[in-house]
Amino acid sequence: MKEVTTQDQTTHESASLSRRKFLNYAGVIAGAGLLIASCKKDDVQPTADDDTINLGSNDTGLLNYAYLLQQLEAAFYIQVLKTPYSGMTKTEEGIFTQIRDHEIVHRELLKNYLGTNGIPPTIENDWSSIDFSLKSSVMAKAKFFEEVSVAGLNGICRLVIAEEHLVTLAKMSVVDARHSAVINDLITPGTFAEKTDDNGFEVSQDPQSSIDITKKFFKKNITGINLPKY
Amino acid sequence: MKLTDILKEIESIQPETFENATGRRDILKNLGIKVAAFATPFAAASLLSNKASAKTTDILAEAIVFALSISYMQSALYTKALATSGLIPASAVNDFTKILKDKNSHVAYWKYQLQATNNIVPAQPTYDFTAKNALPKAMTDYGTFLTVAHAIEDVGVRVYLTAVNMLLSNKAFRTDAVNIATTNARHAAHVRMQRRNLGVDMMAWVVGTEPNSIVGEIKKAYQNEDNTTQLKINTVGINGFAISFNAATGAFDEPMTDTDAKIFMTPFID
């Protein structure tokens, strides 16, 4: 099997070549699979002790943060449908169900891809700030999680090295953006793109500040201290 | 030396300057790099035929021109629709005005970046949104308009995913492209839900190649959207979860090749 280094240099040098292949054959991604397995000596592997989960370093760490975001979203929608608020319409239920399934696909894909480099698959959530019996509480958190996920995934896209990681994360992020638009419109019609800046750009977020927001929804402490920085 | 290599070297030496948009332009200007080799005059065809000159065209400029080609089309669509009396219901005017504002910003941004890096900016084509009368009511019937609009929006998401990938070597530009891609996805979701509100069974995300809701020229927007393999992993029923084909394909938008994009766009260009 061909080993691929995750160093900037090599990846950048191969970008033009692999792009040709990409354009001719988009959807089939060359060289996937082994990138995250070939680590440098100074790589920090993800760890989980009793109190703290360290996401790790390099692309592996960034993918672990994407994995954590998708774990959070999937767990949230699973709970929303398990304990539906009173008066949930058929339309709302249908939307939540499809979004839940998308988030499960995202989560399980990253789980399988990361393999032994992944953080634990079921990190217990802290839902103490959510009242699942109240529509307003659920909607507000759905809006929040989708916006945080899109901003966070876009921030990760800025930092990842490997081509197949970039394109796969971007492919997930645009679907989370579709979710976000639908949830926003359900709450207030016409707010589908309210989070974009004055130039019509999504506002991406760096992993450090994103983790600061999302870690309170987990019962363990999460650290991304070894992640690449903006 | 290819521009991507030059950029990479600059990036490694002066990462902070490089990530700053102003610094990026200055560096490119100072080097006097002229990368794009698009033939003149810039008729519609040249906008879409950049692949032919790929060997002599830098990948970054190529990516930006590719992104611009769909942003031009989107901007023209909503400009025309909002100017067509009686097409868009009064209740939806604000939404489409917001979308048009974003599209115009995307166009302006990429034109500016091409100019700032001494690249030639392709002219905006003129469009026929009936696709040579394949969709005769595109600009007279709201439902048909929404159909055309969601196809162009979904293609916009897909083209930007390709652009993101092409911009891999430049963190600033790739971030710009991904931030526009998710904005386009928000627009696409909204337009699709407007169509759903007219009684069409569709959701905000693209399911397979959408066999039930598409006709004629619209179908070309969804070629190869039915991918169920991500990172070489099969997503249908992944890890024993009840993940259907619809859920597996809905969970990802797929990048669109320039070949597929050209097939879709060409009938709409005068």
Side-chain angles (χ1 to χ4, degrees):
Chain A
M1 291 191 291
K2 191 184 165 202
E3 203 166 270
V4 187
T5 171
T6 57
Q7 289 174 335
D8 279 47
Q9 192 82 357
T10 311
T11 311
H12 284 168
E13 277 167 6
S14 66
S16 296
L17 267 182
S18 35
R19 183 216 146 235
R20 301 270 170 254
K21 201 179 287 178
F22 175 79
L23 283 183
N24 289 330
Y25 211 13
V28 177
I29 298 162
L34 290 176
L35 277 139
I36 56 168
S38 60
C39 297
K40 289 176 289 183
K41 274 182 191 165
D42 57 347
D43 278 358
V44 176
Q45 288 302 293
T47 54
D49 62 27
D50 287 347
D51 302 313
T52 298
I53 290 169
N54 185 330
L55 298 168
S57 64
N58 298 328
D59 273 22
T60 304
L62 293 167
L63 288 169
N64 266 321
Y65 188 50
Y67 181 30
L68 189 82
L69 286 169
Q70 302 308 310
Q71 280 195 26
L72 179 61
E73 290 185 296
F76 170 74
Y77 290 109
I78 288 168
Q79 189 63 46
V80 166
L81 287 156
K82 198 179 280 179
T83 53
Y85 54 78
S86 66
M88 186 184 285
T89 66
K90 279 286 166 203
T91 299
E92 288 161 1
E93 186 187 352
I95 288 170
F96 287 138
T97 301
Q98 293 195 23
I99 294 179
R100 176 198 65 192
D101 288 354
H102 295 163
E103 308 298 7
I104 289 173
V105 175
H106 293 170
R107 182 189 69 186
E108 295 302 304
L109 176 74
L110 289 167
K111 178 190 176 186
N112 290 9
Y113 184 72
L114 283 158
T116 55
N117 291 307
I119 53 173
T122 46
I123 304 167
E124 202 180 345
N125 293 103
D126 180 343
W127 297 140
S128 57
S129 62
I130 308 171
D131 183 346
F132 284 95
S133 69
L134 265 184
K135 178 176 179 175
S136 59
S137 178
V138 167
M139 284 295 183
K141 277 300 184 292
K143 172 179 164 67
F144 176 79
F145 288 142
E146 295 293 353
E147 288 176 351
V148 166
S149 179
V150 176
L153 287 172
N154 286 10
I156 294 169
C157 282
R158 182 189 183 94
L159 294 167
V160 287
I161 301 289
E163 187 175 353
E164 56 268 51
H165 298 164
L166 172 63
V167 72
T168 304
L169 292 165
K171 284 160 66 166
M172 286 185 192
S173 189
V174 291
V175 172
D176 277 356
R178 290 176 186 268
H179 299 164
S180 181
V182 171
I183 298 289
N184 283 6
D185 272 350
L186 280 176
I187 296 170
T188 310
T191 58
F192 52 97
E194 65 169 7
K195 290 289 278 189
T196 55
D197 68 15
D198 286 345
N199 293 316
F201 284 50
E202 192 87 35
V203 181
S204 52
Q205 188 168 26
D206 71 287
Q208 302 303 327
S209 65
S210 181
I211 291 167
D212 285 343
I213 307 176
T214 52
K215 66 181 181 186
K216 75 167 186 164
F217 297 100
F218 293 95
K219 290 192 173 168
K220 287 192 174 183
N221 186 38
I222 311 287
T223 177
I225 194 166
N226 305 112
L227 290 179
K229 307 234 172 1
Y230 259 27
Chain B
M1 194 180 218
K2 282 188 63 72
L3 177 60
T4 39
D5 297 323
I6 296 169
L7 293 176
K8 183 182 62 199
E9 282 202 356
I10 296 166
E11 191 173 10
S12 65
I13 298 163
Q14 299 171 284
E16 281 149 26
T17 314
F18 193 80
E19 291 307 320
N20 171 289
T22 312
R24 206 153 73 225
R25 284 192 298 276
D26 289 346
I27 290 166
L28 292 170
K29 267 185 182 170
N30 293 340
L31 290 176
I33 296 169
K34 295 185 180 177
V35 286
F38 306 107
T40 52
F42 295 104
S46 72
L47 186 67
L48 290 167
S49 64
N50 49 339
K51 195 181 179 184
S53 56
K55 276 179 187 166
T56 52
T57 305
D58 182 79
I59 186 171
L60 300 181
E62 218 178 300
I64 291 172
V65 169
F66 190 39
L68 182 59
S69 69
I70 192 66
S71 292
Y72 265 158
M73 192 175 182
Q74 295 175 328
S75 165
L77 173 69
Y78 298 117
T79 300
K80 189 165 188 176
L82 283 163
T84 303
S85 131
L87 176 59
I88 296 179
S91 60
V93 166
N94 283 349
D95 294 351
F96 283 106
T97 303
K98 154 69 177 163
I99 293 175
L100 175 60
K101 176 175 177 285
D102 289 349
K103 305 302 188 191
N104 285 341
S105 297
H106 302 160
V107 167
Y109 181 76
W110 291 127
K111 283 174 73 172
Y112 180 78
Q113 292 295 357
L114 285 172
Q115 280 159 359
T117 52
N118 290 334
N119 282 284
I120 295 161
V121 181
Q124 184 176 28
T126 55
Y127 297 92
D128 167 12
F129 291 108
T130 72
K132 317 279 191 286
N133 220 32
L135 299 150
K137 294 180 180 173
M139 286 291 150
T140 53
D141 169 67
Y142 187 52
T144 310
F145 163 73
L146 289 176
T147 305
V148 173
H150 81 67
I152 292 174
E153 286 292 349
D154 290 329
V155 166
V157 175
R158 302 185 65 192
V159 164
Y160 269 85
L161 287 176
T162 298
V164 167
N165 194 69
M166 292 167 76
L167 294 166
L168 174 73
S169 68
N170 185 305
K171 281 186 182 175
F173 281 149
R174 79 153 102 140
T175 308
D176 294 335
V178 83
N179 285 334
I180 295 177
T182 50
T183 298
N184 282 344
R186 293 175 176 281
H187 298 163
H190 181 76
V191 172
R192 293 172 67 90
M193 291 307 269
Q194 299 313 300
R195 186 151 179 251
R196 179 186 170 86
N197 291 344
L198 295 183
V200 178
D201 181 18
M202 68 190 308
M203 291 297 266
W205 31 86
V206 178
V207 171
T209 54
E210 305 222 310
N212 298 322
S213 61
I214 53 181
V215 288
E217 301 301 336
I218 300 303
K219 188 170 184 171
K220 296 170 183 170
Y222 300 99
Q223 305 257 21
N224 302 313
E225 251 294 338
D226 54 351
N227 179 25
T228 55
T229 305
Q230 307 292 343
L231 294 167
K232 294 187 174 171
I233 295 165
N234 180 22
T235 48
V236 175
I238 187 168
N239 293 345
F241 286 90
I243 299 300
S244 64
F245 170 83
N246 284 357
T249 56
F252 299 87
D253 279 293
E254 295 300 325
M256 193 172 210
T257 63
D258 55 356
T259 305
D260 282 355
K262 186 179 178 183
I263 289 169
F264 172 74
M265 284 193 255
T266 300
F268 292 99
I269 294 177
D270 261 340

